[in-house]
C-alpha cells in the first residue's frame, strides 16, 4: 500500500508536546520558523514516500548480501541513499558549525520518523550516523571534528557503534578488543565485534566506526574501556579516503527481520594494520559511548513509532477495502467493509491511540534534549527519567501495534505478500538492542528514581498532577508516585522484580498526560475529531489497564525464587 507521512500529526505534536515555538524563540534555534518546519516536514514526507517506501519490499525479500568484497545493498538503495545525502536530510539537527541546519533535535526526530516509517531497515543507517555525530561533537578533538563531522553531517560518510563482542553483550565490561600504542599518537586496534548495524555497505565511500577497546594495563571492567575512531579507509593528507584500514566484514547475520539492515560481524586488525585514534581521554570510553547510546535509545524508541505508524496505515487501508460478513445486529444481511465491525474498530482505534501515545512520549523526550542543550538543568534531569520510558515503552507499543496489524488483516496478515508480517518481524528486535527493555526498567528504578535526591521524579509527578483532569489518569499518576517512592527504598531484588510493570505504569501515565493535553488542543475538523477520539480511548481504556499492574509493581521478588533454577526445566 502507498505510504503517506503523518505530517499534520507531526506538526501538531511538535507544537503541543514539544512546544517548538518556545525553542524557536531562542538564538540557537531561531532558524526553526513555521515556514521552515513546514518545508522540512512536507519535503521529507514526500521524499520518504516517493523514494524510500517503494524499496521496503525488496529490502525485506532480497536484503543486504555479504560478498568477499563487502556487503552489497539491494538494487535501488545506493541511489536512494545518494538522494538522501543530496537532499540535505542528514543535516537537519547538526549545528551550522559542521555544515548542518541547526534545527532542533525534535525536528530531526520527525524527519527520522518519516524515513523509518517508510522503510525502517534503511533508516537505521542515518540513525546510527546521528549517534556517531553526537559522540564526536561532545568528545572528539578539534582535529577529529574538522575531518569527520562535516562528512558525517551530510551523510556522505556513515557511522557505526561497536560495543558487543561474542562474550560481551549487556556486560560491556567483559569486552576483549585491544588498542596498543603505535608510538605516533595513534593506536593499533585488534578484535572482533558483533551485531554491528550497517557495519559495511556499498552506499558511501567511507564508514566511521566508533570502537570500544582496552589499552595495555587498563583496569578491569568498564573503568578500563576507551573509545576509538576507526575509519574503514584511512584518510590522506587532504582528508579523502585512501588506504584500507584492515576492517573486515566476516559475515552478516540471518535475522527474523530488518533484512535491509546488514548486521555485521567485523574483525579489526587481522593483518595488524588497523589504525585508530583515541576519542576523549584514555579509559573514558564509557562516558563517550553513553553519549551515543543515550541518543540511540531515543531513536530506537522512535523506531517503535515508525513501525506502529506503518502498520497502522496498512491496517486502516485494508479494513477500508476488505468486505466480509454483515454487521452483527443489522437488518441488512449484506456484507460490509470490515472496518464496520466493532472488534475491528476497537483494534484500529487502539492502534492509532497507541501510535499517537508513543509519538508523544518520544517527541517529548526529544524536546528535553533540546532544552538540556540550551543549559536547562531541569530538562536534563527530566530527559534522564524519560529516556528509559521512551526506549522501552515506545518499542513495546511498536510491537503491540504491529501484532494488531496482522490481526486486522486476518489470515492474509500471516501471508508475507500483504506486508503486514514485515512490520512485526522488523519491530521485534527493538525491545532487545541498545539496552534491553529490562535494562531500561532497571535503570529507571536503580538510578533515575533517586536522581537529584528524588527531586527529578517528584517534579515529573508534580507536572502531571497539575495538568491531568481525568479521574483514573490522576489515580494512575498518584499510584506511580506512591510506588516510585516505595521502590526507591526497597531492597535490590524487590526493586528489580517490580521494575518492568512500574516502567509501564509510569510510561502510560506520561502518555496519558500528553494525550489528554492534545485532546484539549485539537480542533473540530476530521483531524481534531480523530485526535479527540484517540485521547478519549487512551484515557478510558488504556490507563485503567496500567492501573491493573499495581499488584506486579508492588509484589516481592520472593515468588520469583520460590523454586530453584533447575526446577524451571520441569
Amino acid at each position: 500500500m502507498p505510504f503517506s507521512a503523518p505530517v499534520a500529526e507531526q506538526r501538531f505534536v511538535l507544537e503541543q508536546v514539544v512546544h517548538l515555538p518556545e525553542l524557536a524563540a531562542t538564538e540557537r534555534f531561531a532558524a526553526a520558523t513555521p515556514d521552515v518546519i513546514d518545508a522540512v516536514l512536507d519535503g521529507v514526507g514526500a521524499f520518504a514516500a516517493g523514494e524510500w517506501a517503494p524499496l521496503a519490499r525488496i529490502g525485506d525479500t532480497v536484503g543486504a548480501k555479504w560478498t568477499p568484497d563487502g556487503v552489497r545493498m539491494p538494487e535501488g538503495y545506493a541511489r536512494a541513499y545518494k538522494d538522501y545525502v543530496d537532499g540535505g536530510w542528514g543535516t537537519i539537527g547538526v549545528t551550522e558549525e559542521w555544515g548542518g541546519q541547526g534545527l532542533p533535535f525534535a525536528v530531526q526526530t520527525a524527519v527520522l520518523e518519516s524515513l523509518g516509517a517508510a522503510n525502517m531497515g534503511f533508516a537505521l543507517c542515518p540513525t546510527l550516523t546521528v549517534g556517531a555525530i553526537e559522540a564526536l561533537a561532545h568528545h572528539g578533538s578539534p582535529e577529529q571534528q574538522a575531518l569527520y563531522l562535516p562528512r558525517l553531517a551530510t551523510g556522505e560518510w556513515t557511522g557505526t557503534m561497536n560495543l558487543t563482542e561474542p562474550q560481551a553483550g549487556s556486560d560491556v565490561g567483559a569486552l576483549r578488543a585491544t588498542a596498543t600504542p603505535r608510538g605516533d599518537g595513534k593506536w593499533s586496534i585488534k578484535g572482533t565485534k558483533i551485531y554491528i548495524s550497517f557495519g559495511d555497505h556499498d552506499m558511501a565511500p567511507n564508514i566511521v566506526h566508533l570502537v570500544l577497546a582496552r589499552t595495555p594495563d587498563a583496569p578491569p571492567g568498564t573503568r578500563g574501556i576507551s573509545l576509538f575512531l576507526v575509519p574503514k579507509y584511512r584518510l590522506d593528507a587532504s582528508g579523502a579516503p585512501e588506504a584500507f584500514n584492515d576492517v573486515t566484514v566476516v559475515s552478516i547475520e540471518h535475522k527474523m527481520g530488518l533484512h535491509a539492515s546488514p548486521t555485521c560481524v567485523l574483525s579489526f586488525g587481522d593483518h595488524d594494520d588497523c589504525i585508530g585514534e583515541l576519542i576523549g581521554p584514555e579509559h573514558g570510553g564509557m562516558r563517550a559511548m553513553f553519549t551515543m547510546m543515550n541518543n540511540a535509545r531515543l531513536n530506537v524508541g522512535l523506531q517503535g513509532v515508525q513501525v506502529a505508524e506503518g502498520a497502522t496505515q496498512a491496517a486502516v487501508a485494508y479494513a477500508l477495502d476488505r468486505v466480509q460478513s454483515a454487521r452483527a445486529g443489522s437488518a441488512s444481511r449484506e456484507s460490509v467493509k470490515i472496518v464496520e465491525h466493532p472488534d475491528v474498530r476497537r483494534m484500529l482505534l487502539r492502534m492509532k491511540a497507541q501510535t499517537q501515545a508513543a509519538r508523544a512520549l518520544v517527541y517529548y523526550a526529544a524536546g528535553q534534549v533540546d532544552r538540556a542543550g540550551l543549559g536547562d538543568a531541569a530538562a536534563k534531569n527530566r530527559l534522564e527519567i524519560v529516556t528509559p520510558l521512551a526506549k522501552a515503552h515506545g518499542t513495546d507499543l511498536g510491537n503491540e501495534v504491529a501484532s494488531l496489524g496482522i490481526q486486522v488483516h486476518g489470515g492474509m496478515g500471516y501471508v508475507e505478500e500483504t506486508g503486514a508480517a514485515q512490520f512485526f518481524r522488523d519491530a521485534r528486535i527493538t525491545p532487545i538492542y541498545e539496552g534491553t527493555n529490562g535494562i531500561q526498567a532497571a535503570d529507571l528504578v536503580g538510578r533515575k528514581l533517586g536522581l537529584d535526591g528524588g527531586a527529578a521524579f517528584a517534579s515529573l509527578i508534580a507536572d502531571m498532577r497539575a495538568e491531568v483532569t481525568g479521574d483514573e489518569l490522576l489515580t494512575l499518576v498518584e499510584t506511580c508516585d506512591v510506588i516510585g517512592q516505595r521502590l526507591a527504598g526497597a531492597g535490590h531484588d524487590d526493586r528489580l522484580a517490580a521494575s518492568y510493570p512500574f516502567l509501564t505504569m509510569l510510561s502510560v501515565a506520561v502518555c496519558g498526560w500528553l494525550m489528554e493535553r492534545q485532546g484539549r488542543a485539537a480542533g473540530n475538523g476530521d483531524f481534531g475529531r480523530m485526535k479527540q477520539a484517540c485521547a478519549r480511548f487512551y484515557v478510558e481504556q488504556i490507563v485503567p489497564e496500567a492501573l491493573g499492574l499495581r499488584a506486579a509493581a508492588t509484589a516481592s521478588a520472593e515468588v520469583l525464587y520460590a523454586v530453584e533454577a533447575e526446577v524451571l526445566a520441569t
Side-chain angles (χ1 to χ4, degrees):
M1 59 154 283
F3 166 77
S4 178
V7 173
E9 165 76 3
Q10 292 170 335
R11 186 180 292 111
F12 185 82
V13 176
L14 287 171
E15 292 175 355
Q16 300 299 327
V17 172
V18 176
H19 296 314
L20 186 59
E22 292 179 2
L23 294 175
T26 66
E27 182 179 356
R28 178 173 174 179
F29 297 126
T33 59
D35 57 332
V36 168
I37 300 306
D38 286 347
V40 168
L41 297 181
D42 290 338
V44 77
F47 173 75
E51 296 203 39
W52 281 37
L55 296 173
R57 180 67 176 164
I58 191 174
D60 185 50
T61 56
V62 175
K65 299 293 184 184
W66 180 90
T67 77
D69 298 319
V71 173
R72 298 290 177 262
M73 295 296 291
E75 183 179 355
Y77 273 67
R79 175 67 189 184
Y81 187 76
K82 182 179 185 302
D83 291 342
Y84 162 85
V85 173
D86 292 345
W89 298 116
T91 67
I92 298 296
V94 182
T95 62
E96 295 179 17
E97 179 183 6
W98 306 120
Q101 298 185 41
L103 293 172
F105 178 74
V107 177
Q108 179 179 273
T109 296
V111 168
L112 281 175
E113 186 203 335
S114 290
L115 294 169
N119 192 326
M120 181 176 161
F122 198 179
L124 255 179
C125 186
T127 297
L128 288 161
T129 302
V130 167
I133 291 169
E134 283 292 303
L136 282 174
H138 285 88
H139 304 286
S141 68
E143 294 78 14
Q144 290 168 341
Q145 292 171 345
L147 276 174
Y148 290 95
L149 283 180
R151 293 176 173 88
L152 288 169
T154 63
E156 177 189 354
W157 297 350
T158 64
T160 72
M161 57 192 299
N162 291 251
L163 291 78
T164 308
E165 299 180 8
Q167 80 294 336
S170 299
D171 183 9
V172 179
L175 67 83
R176 298 172 185 163
T178 61
T180 307
R182 289 168 43 88
D184 60 357
K186 296 188 178 181
W187 302 73
S188 292
I189 310 298
K190 198 171 187 67
T192 299
K193 298 290 183 177
I194 63 173
Y195 301 148
I196 311 305
S197 298
F198 276 94
D200 195 66
H201 57 83
D202 58 354
M203 302 187 302
N206 209 358
I207 303 173
V208 182
H209 302 292
L210 301 192
V211 183
L212 289 181
R214 293 190 178 280
T215 56
D217 302 319
T222 57
R223 293 184 301 113
I225 293 173
S226 301
L227 181 64
F228 296 87
L229 188 158
V230 185
K232 179 179 179 179
Y233 294 100
R234 298 195 286 269
L235 308 186
D236 64 17
S238 68
E242 185 183 39
F244 179 64
N245 198 25
D246 199 13
V247 181
T248 305
V249 55
V250 177
S251 64
I252 60 175
E253 305 295 348
H254 300 90
K255 310 188 298 287
M256 175 180 178
L258 284 185
H259 298 151
S261 171
T263 303
C264 301
V265 176
L266 294 182
S267 183
F268 297 84
D270 284 352
H271 303 287
D272 299 319
D273 193 31
C274 182
I275 301 174
E277 300 177 20
L278 184 65
I279 298 175
E282 189 174 354
H283 306 153
M286 286 307 295
R287 179 171 175 267
M289 187 56 79
F290 265 113
T291 298
M292 189 174 185
M293 288 179 66
N294 285 335
N295 178 286
R297 284 171 175 171
L298 292 183
N299 282 329
V300 171
L302 181 64
Q303 287 184 310
V305 181
Q306 295 166 1
V307 77
E309 179 63 35
T312 298
Q313 287 194 24
V316 169
Y318 184 80
L320 289 169
D321 181 68
R322 172 66 167 162
V323 175
Q324 182 170 309
S325 304
R327 182 172 175 178
S330 172
S332 171
R333 302 317 303 157
E334 183 177 350
S335 295
V336 297
K337 295 175 181 178
I338 63 171
V339 72
E340 299 299 335
H341 298 299
D343 189 55
V344 174
R345 280 288 182 101
R346 175 193 63 82
M347 290 188 287
L348 292 176
L349 194 53
R350 187 179 184 93
M351 291 174 76
K352 291 188 75 72
Q354 293 284 47
T355 300
Q356 291 186 14
R359 180 181 290 110
L361 176 60
V362 174
Y363 278 41
Y364 178 77
Q368 301 310 305
V369 171
D370 290 317
R371 286 174 168 77
L374 292 170
D376 186 335
K380 184 177 184 299
N381 284 340
R382 181 65 54 87
L383 175 62
E384 290 281 341
I385 290 180
V386 298
T387 291
L389 309 186
K391 194 283 179 180
H393 197 60
T395 57
D396 280 347
L397 294 188
N399 277 266
E400 178 191 337
V401 173
S403 180
L404 282 171
I406 294 174
Q407 194 73 19
V408 170
H409 281 77
M412 291 303 296
Y414 204 65
V415 174
E416 288 289 354
E417 282 74 12
T418 64
Q422 182 185 344
F423 293 114
F424 186 75
R425 288 188 288 101
D426 286 352
R428 192 57 190 86
I429 185 61
T430 59
I432 299 172
Y433 62 12
E434 301 307 336
T436 67
N437 286 1
I439 288 175
Q440 305 306 311
D443 179 47
L444 174 65
V445 301
R447 292 180 60 243
K448 305 303 174 59
L449 287 182
L451 192 65
D452 195 19
F457 175 67
S459 173
L460 174 62
I461 294 294
D463 284 354
M464 291 192 290
R465 184 184 286 129
E467 189 175 345
V468 301
T469 59
D471 289 343
E472 287 201 282
L473 179 53
L474 183 58
T475 298
L476 178 60
V477 171
E478 299 291 358
T479 303
C480 287
D481 186 18
V482 172
I483 295 175
Q485 293 186 51
R486 175 183 178 276
L487 291 178
H492 193 70
D493 280 354
D494 286 348
R495 191 185 311 161
L496 291 178
S499 62
Y500 209 101
F502 175 70
L503 178 144
T504 301
M505 293 180 73
L506 185 59
S507 298
V508 173
V510 173
C511 288
W513 168 44
L514 300 175
M515 288 293 284
E516 203 180 58
R517 178 192 297 175
Q518 293 177 78
R520 287 194 298 267
N524 295 321
D526 286 350
F527 175 86
R529 290 170 58 234
M530 188 72 255
K531 176 64 70 176
Q532 291 166 4
C534 287
R536 177 185 170 190
F537 182 93
Y538 194 90
V539 172
E540 291 183 1
Q541 298 200 26
I542 295 173
V543 165
E545 291 175 5
L547 281 167
L549 294 172
R550 185 181 186 281
T554 55
S556 164
E558 183 275 329
V559 68
L560 305 181
Y561 297 91
V563 297
E564 298 78 12
E566 293 76 16
V567 178
L568 293 172
T570 302

